[in-house]
Amino acid sequence: MSLWVDKYRPTSLSKLDYHKQQAAQLKNLVQCGDFPHLLVFGPSGAGKKTRIMCLLRELYGAGVEKLRIEHQTITTPSKKKIEISTIASNYHLEVNPSDAGNSDRVVIQELLKTVAQSQQLETSTQRDFKVVLLTEVDKLTKDAQHALRRTMEKYMSTCRLILCCNSTSKVISPIRSRCLAVRVPAPSTDEICTVLFNVCKKEGLSLPQELARKIAEKSGRNLRKALLICEACRVQQYPFSSDQDLPETDWEVYVKETANAIVSQQTPQRLLEVRGRLYELLTHCIPPEIIMKSLLSELLNNCDGQLKGEVAQMAAHYEHRLQLGSKAIYHLEAFVAKFMAIYKRFMEDGLEAMMF
Amino acid sequence: MDIRKFFGVTPAKKPTNEKDKKENNKTSHGVTTQKKTKDHKLKSPGSDEKGKKQQSNKKKRIIYDSDSEEDTPPVKKSKRPQEESPPISKPLKVKKPDPVDYVSDTDEEDFATLRKPNKPKENGTKVVSPPSNSKITAKKTHVPAKVKTPEKKVSTSVEDFFGMGNVKRSNKKLVETKKEEPRGSTDDSLMDDEAIARELQLAEDEELERQLHEDEEFAKTLAMIDDVPKDKIQRKGEKKQTSPESKKSPAKAQKHSVRTLSQTDLSTTIKKEKDLKEETKKPSRTHSEGSSSSKEKSPAKSSSKLALMKKKEEAQQREVAVSSPATKTKVISPKKEMVTPAKSSSKSESSPEDSEKKHGNYTSYRNYLNREGPKALGTKEIPQGADNCLEGLTFVITGVLESIERDEAKSLVERYGGKVTGNVSKKTNYLILGRDGGESKREKAESFRTKIIDEDGLFDLIRSLPGKKSKYVIAAEAEMKTQAKAEKTPEKVAKKPSPVKRKLTPEKRQSPRAKKPAVEEDDWKKSVKREEKPSSGKSLDLAPASGKTESLLWVDKYKPTSVKAIIGQQGEQSCANKLIRWLRDWFKNHSSDEKKPAVKYNKFGAKDDGSSFKAALLSGPPGVGKTTTAVLVCEELGYSYVELNASDARSKNSMKEVVAESLNNTSIKGFYSGTSKFVNSKHVLIMDEVDGMAGNEDRGGVQELIALIKGSKIPIICMCNDRNHPKIRSLANYCFDLRFQRPRAEQIKGAMMSVAFKEGLKIPPPAMNEIILGANQDIRQVLHNLSMWCASNKALTYDEAKSNANNAKKDIKMGPFDVVRKVFAAGEETAHMSLIDKSDLFFHDYSISPLFVQENYVHVKPAAAGGNVKKHLLLLSKTADSICDGDLVDRVIRSNQFWSLLPVQAIYASVIPGELMRGYMSQFPNFPSWLGKYSSTGKHDRITQELAMHTSLRTRTSKRALNLDYLSYMRDKLVQPLAEHGAEGVQEVVDVMDTYYLMKEDYDNIMEISSWGGKPTPFSKLDPKVKAAFTRGYNKEAHLTPYSLQVVKASKRAASTLPSEYGEEAAIEDTQGEENQDDEVSVDAMIKAKKSKPSKSSKVEKGGDKKPSKAKTKKGK
């Protein structure tokens, strides 16, 4: 009874639905018996993790799918205890060091070393190296990344690293140069449609072409999202109609409402309300840059061509500062305030122009 | 008091004498109150007289000594005539009858004769001036006296001459005499004899006095303090005078000539003054109000009066001692006057606002708050007026003035000697009406026929009104004049010693044994010092003593020497008195151990006298006199004390050794020093600064102190600043709690003014007020500030004092709410703040004030927007930008530790927003919601992380993707079946949960974090029955998770993870029976455990392997 996304996740490289050439290359890589450190990157929902798991399965066989979750306790030099959970099979270990926050360096040093220093027991049946999968490498602090550098070289004989991240921009270049970078691009709309059709076929449903396309576009080339939407559509209404509403996530709805509130009225009171809504989004752990982005796209819908450019530039400005600053709400609010001021001026000027 | 008795004895002469006295004293203002007191005192003259006669006999001896001394050192003589002269000139010094005793009669007669010629002249000048108004004449009588003296000086300005203009009291002379006395007699023994006699006499008088108002007592104490300072002033004057006069010293003829000259000048000046008064009739009123009736007769006064006076003096010589209290009461009256106006003004200030509030409805109040500042700020030139040209005028300002702020206007008026009150009354001379002035004030003003002027009118007034001397200066001048007269009759000198002693007595009375000698010595030294100045190098022998006093801080120099003199502790229920009572009764209450049960009982009594406690805890802000009170109380009760303060190590051990032992001893200090005939068994432990008992040094000190208190055989007085400090709280349970409050500004003011006089510092009372408020009513601070300014400049103008006070303003810790309010406050409050001041606001708490600013800037209605929404939004946007900049700086500061950037942050995060949004805040500042939101963000983050971890085997995704993509769909999947099928859907939901390894907790968490904007979650909308069914359905089965649960984490980890690898069954042993752990991953391999109770509905779940029954499973929840 799992969701479609999880139910129909491919488990071997050969079953992957798209980027087949890349899959084939990976397969070749693995079949050589050895492979370098990998840096897999690509947008969310493109299938990075799926691809990595397929790769591991190719490497170690089905045993790699027997996973367990472990909690590890690591003590920092300052006697602080860090709890971190890892997902492990007999052959590999998956860690998200950024869960440890600022102490991620210690996690890298301690955890990785202990794993890397131990040899595989049965080299006859197994590969003579283990794989450590580090997720969200781009969230690692610089310190942690530097701690990673030497480890990557030193324990090459017993351990391979697969780094997984959304963007390499935040990965320091020494690490990038030590890895084989594998880019997993987001699937194209067509590819998503194909996947949707396949899934629906397996579920015994018929999916209209238009709806599939709509879903694919709506998802922003995020396959996971597309599948989730598709399933939600199914729950909402079956048989599908090509013009049915696509259910959205709560936060998207909320952002939309917020944008409408901004556009409908520009007063200090409204700014205060908007602040409340922004806080709500932030407390739900919606990343501020995503809030900014979706807010902007909603606001742009209500803007004139001339205004669009100005607003977009403004948003870029504030998003930039958002990254530099520490309190997201300040910048989001400043963006909203600025938008209100500009919009108000624009509207009033427009009115005057109409009157005279 | 005595004076009245005095009069009572010789009723015939009374009326004239009284008048004279009043005139001279200028205490005449408070006539009515005085009279009452007089009535009281009239009753007990007889007994006192006798005592005094005895005294006088004794004194004769002294006088001879002094005379001889005078004869020998010629240097001193020259000084004395000047210094002592004032008493003579003032007949009021009736007290001096005493001196008369020693002096030969002939001397006195000389004096009388001398005076006569002088007086006629004075009168003559008076006569010149038309006696038009009775009030005016009264004034004149003052004036000539004052004017004379300055003119003698010729080269020096009046102001320089009278360092402090405020000297109003006749007491000055007493003070002088005091000092002289020691000089003359230089004999402690003499003092003692006299003191004893006096004490006897005074005891009664003082009892009476004590029964008078508290205020009076206060004033008295002030007066006592004042005595000393005055001669300083005079000295100053004298210094300047000395050069011309000393040459003339005995030659009276010369002086006469000088006087005649001066008188002619005087007459002209007097006329001018009269004119002024007629123009502005009020001043005369204010000055002479109380006394007018008595003064009216004064012009009639003639030389004959003087003669009468003389006779009286002779007759009453015996009663000298009695007279001293009388002078005290007189002293009181002027003081009162000073105090009362201040009070009334402060009251009236608050009242207008109230009335306005009541008056107008909400909107008008809003208007009031929103009203703009001056429209043409600074457009008009503020005129320079003559000094004190507004003296005696009372103004009320209402509405918004055109070109100056209200504050400015107020200080302008005050600078020129006027008074600004808040409410229109009969005494108000002008109502300054601005834009949007209060209607009620205007009506009132019309009804009182107060002149209504506008801002220009005020400027015109300042420009046009001629300068006047401030009343303080006038008073001082009067003193000088009388002094000058006295010079001619140096014989009078002899009289002075006795009044001096009388003055001292009140102080002695409080601490008869310990303090007396010290006090006298002190005064002595002071007097010596002062005398030294005029005679520069001549009196070398005195130099060392004066050097000693020089080194004293003012705080110590003017330390109260009796409990009565402690500022703000005069009341019957004051802490000092409570402490006295407590301490007095201590040994009574704690003599026997049997009392102990009663102690417990008393503790619950509401208001007790602390008799149940063995220790007292004095708490209060610094500089209000806690230590002083404790020490003085001990001295007054004759207890010896041991003081331990923060400079002593007070750890548990040292307390035990040092204190505990010594406390059980008896002191023989008093015995050896001869102050007491018996060994003093009463001592007190004073633990000062107990809140300083901290750190490693004093570890365990408080506990030990408590133990000490429990077993103590003597009273213990503890002192601390913050009685709510956690360390002190435990101590406070064992102590009689006495909380010291800051004295009111008026209470401090009197004492401070007198200190200023003594030190020759000229500070106008309003300025003194500023200084006191600036120091946050910390007496010690005020004194230190005064002494600092005194070092640079003897005369502070109002402006200087005000700016100094602002500079010295004690840093008052402001709460963040006040800070943010002030950041955005418009108008007077912030108009004069410099950039630094504004950024200082930020530093009250630099970590939280940016948050406050950010939270509240939206609530401000900026004045700059003027109600225009577009402008308002623009300002908001700019403010928000600036706040963002502040955030960027903050980030840099905190990530790179560039703390030197804090000022930059201050500008961005506080000053600029404040400037942009300056206006009116419609509500009380909110506490920054960011903090709350931040912590709930953290909570949600933890929840999503946990969810991500729990579901990671299924979803293979990060928490972020889970949160953004999965969560709502998952939520739907978990709720919809229940919503649609009710209890039927339970199984489906449980399946989903199992698939994703969700526990019931996770389920609830998902519901929680997927609710938006406080709207109810879909789950909460479900029928309660369904919910219950769901809960039951879920609990029916045990649920296996691939992760260990927090509860069993520790033991589980060790026990189960290792063996469980892939061994399908192996892992399932559950030692605690809490949860099963399963490392199986694949769906099919999933092990469904049986319910622990296989009762009726034992369902074996979908085809998963059944656990061999050894697995004890348990409910998930």
Side-chain angles (χ1 to χ4, degrees), chain A residues 6 67 283-284 318 325 331 333, chain B residues 857 881 887 940 996 1009 1081:
Chain A
D6 305 317
L67 297 171
T283 49
H284 280 83
Y318 283 106
H331 305 276
E333 190 176 295
Chain B
Y857 78 96
D881 285 352
D887 179 50
H940 283 186
Y996 282 95
I1009 64 173
V1081 175

Side-chain angles (χ1 to χ4, degrees), chain B residues 1039-1059:
Chain B
H1039 304 277
L1040 301 174
T1041 56
Y1043 45 86
S1044 75
L1045 296 167
Q1046 303 297 329
V1047 200
V1048 283
K1049 187 171 42 190
S1051 60
K1052 274 288 160 55
R1053 280 278 51 79
S1056 60
T1057 58
L1058 297 178

Side-chain angles (χ1 to χ4, degrees), chain A residues 182-320:
Chain A
V182 179
R183 175 167 174 266
V184 183
S188 67
T189 318
D190 290 334
E191 283 163 342
I192 289 179
C193 289
T194 322
V195 175
L196 288 179
F197 284 128
N198 288 340
V199 169
C200 284
K201 207 164 84 189
K202 284 178 196 158
E203 282 286 318
L205 308 171
S206 70
L207 181 70
Q209 181 73 37
E210 296 80 20
L211 186 64
R213 182 151 288 276
K214 230 170 111 183
I215 291 172
E217 277 164 4
K218 174 82 190 168
S219 69
R221 295 172 70 196
N222 180 336
L223 184 58
R224 175 169 47 221
K225 208 165 175 187
L227 281 167
L228 285 166
I229 294 173
C230 186
E231 187 174 1
C233 287
R234 156 76 181 79
V235 174
Q236 191 183 52
Q237 179 186 359
Y238 188 81
F240 295 116
S241 72
S242 54
D243 55 349
Q244 77 180 104
D245 279 344
L246 302 181
E248 290 177 311
T249 54
D250 297 330
W251 66 268
E252 287 170 316
V253 176
Y254 201 79
V255 169
K256 215 172 244 177
E257 287 170 10
T258 308
N260 287 337
I262 295 171
V263 172
S264 63
Q265 192 187 346
Q266 295 86 34
T267 60
Q269 290 74 28
R270 184 49 63 92
L271 181 61
L272 214 52
E273 281 169 41
V274 171
R275 178 199 283 178
R277 299 183 75 91
L278 291 175
Y279 266 134
E280 184 75 13
L281 285 165
L282 287 172
T283 49
H284 280 83
C285 300
I286 310 296
E289 51 275 6
I290 289 188
I291 298 176
M292 181 77 93
K293 195 174 155 191
S294 37
L295 200 56
L296 174 67
S297 60
E298 292 300 331
L299 289 176
L300 285 181
N301 290 339
N302 291 296
C303 286
D304 242 2
Q306 178 202 353
L307 201 55
K308 260 179 190 159
E310 199 177 343
V311 172
Q313 190 205 0
M314 206 173 78
H317 175 68
Y318 283 106
E319 193 187 348
H320 171 66

Side-chain angles (χ1 to χ4, degrees), chain B residues 353-597:
Chain B
E353 275 176 32
D354 290 350
S355 65
E356 270 194 26
K357 278 177 200 167
K358 281 177 208 159
H359 202 60
N361 50 15
Y362 176 70
T363 52
S364 68
Y365 178 58
R366 285 289 285 269
N367 286 338
Y368 164 73
L369 287 173
N370 278 328
R371 69 183 178 183
E372 287 175 52
K375 277 191 174 152
L377 193 62
T379 49
K380 287 177 196 165
E381 195 185 340
I382 294 173
Q384 289 290 333
D387 282 351
N388 293 313
C389 60
L390 301 180
E391 175 76 27
L393 297 178
T394 311
F395 292 82
V396 171
I397 306 175
T398 180
V400 181
L401 301 179
E402 276 304 300
S403 69
I404 53 176
E405 295 271 9
R406 215 176 152 131
D407 262 1
E408 259 176 273
K410 192 180 168 196
S411 64
L412 186 67
V413 171
E414 281 174 355
R415 183 182 309 148
Y416 290 112
K419 200 167 79 177
V420 177
T421 59
N423 224 356
V424 181
S425 73
K426 277 179 211 157
K427 290 183 188 171
T428 310
N429 305 113
Y430 293 101
L431 176 70
I432 303 173
L433 185 65
R435 184 162 39 82
D436 305 332
E439 264 317 298
S440 63
K441 275 184 196 157
R442 193 186 177 139
E443 283 161 17
K444 237 181 174 179
E446 275 161 7
S447 70
F448 287 128
R449 268 180 245 134
T450 307
K451 279 186 209 163
I452 299 177
I453 56 173
D454 60 0
E455 181 187 86
D456 294 329
L458 174 66
F459 290 162
D460 289 343
L461 269 183
I462 292 171
R463 262 182 229 118
S464 59
L465 283 183
K468 285 172 226 165
K469 282 177 185 149
S470 88
K471 50 188 173 186
Y472 307 113
V473 176
I474 291 172
E477 282 171 14
E479 292 286 334
M480 289 310 297
K481 182 196 152 197
T482 53
Q483 227 176 298
K485 273 189 202 167
E487 276 172 34
K488 290 166 191 168
T489 61
E491 306 88 336
K492 286 253 163 170
V493 174
K495 294 173 191 171
K496 283 154 204 167
S498 61
V500 174
K501 279 167 195 167
R502 264 169 247 136
K503 277 273 154 171
L504 291 177
T505 48
E507 288 171 301
K508 285 171 197 165
R509 152 182 42 122
Q510 311 289 13
S511 55
R513 261 166 256 157
K515 272 286 146 155
K516 228 191 281 171
V519 170
E520 285 176 4
E521 229 169 55
D522 245 6
D523 286 355
W524 193 312
K525 278 173 198 162
K526 278 174 208 160
S527 66
V528 166
K529 187 173 125 198
R530 266 163 226 144
E531 265 143 36
E532 220 193 348
K533 284 178 194 167
S535 65
S536 58
K538 286 173 188 174
S539 56
L540 283 175
D541 51 332
L542 297 176
S546 66
K548 228 180 180 181
T549 49
E550 206 63 79
S551 66
L552 275 182
L553 285 177
W554 284 19
V555 177
D556 295 320
K557 202 161 153 192
Y558 299 106
K559 202 172 187 168
T561 49
S562 77
V563 176
K564 292 285 167 209
I566 302 171
I567 297 172
Q569 298 296 333
Q570 282 83 32
E572 191 58 20
Q573 287 305 315
S574 69
C575 290
N577 278 327
K578 281 183 186 166
L579 187 63
I580 288 178
R581 285 195 291 272
W582 172 79
L583 206 55
R584 196 179 48 214
D585 299 337
W586 196 90
F587 288 100
K588 230 192 296 168
N589 290 331
H590 298 282
S591 52
S592 63
D593 289 333
E594 286 140 38
K595 286 254 171 173
K596 284 210 166 162

Side-chain angles (χ1 to χ4, degrees), chain B residues 227-295:
Chain B
D227 296 345
V228 188
K230 272 168 207 164
D231 15 35
K232 242 213 167 172
I233 305 164
Q234 286 184 338
R235 291 275 153 65
K236 269 194 180 176
E238 284 160 26
K239 272 190 209 167
K240 287 156 194 168
Q241 280 183 335
T242 45
S243 53
E245 283 183 24
S246 61
K247 292 158 197 167
K248 302 165 192 172
S249 58
K252 292 157 196 171
Q254 276 188 343
K255 279 183 186 172
H256 283 289
S257 64
V258 173
R259 249 173 231 172
T260 50
L261 283 177
S262 64
Q263 275 167 355
T264 54
D265 289 354
L266 281 182
S267 60
T268 57
T269 56
I270 291 162
K271 278 177 190 171
K272 281 177 198 166
E273 283 198 1
K274 276 179 206 164
D275 296 348
L276 289 183
K277 277 160 206 163
E278 277 164 357
E279 278 181 16
T280 64
K281 280 164 194 171
K282 299 166 197 172
S284 64
R285 246 182 264 154
T286 53
H287 276 282
S288 59
E289 250 176 74
S291 61
S292 58
S293 61
S294 65
K295 280 184 181 175

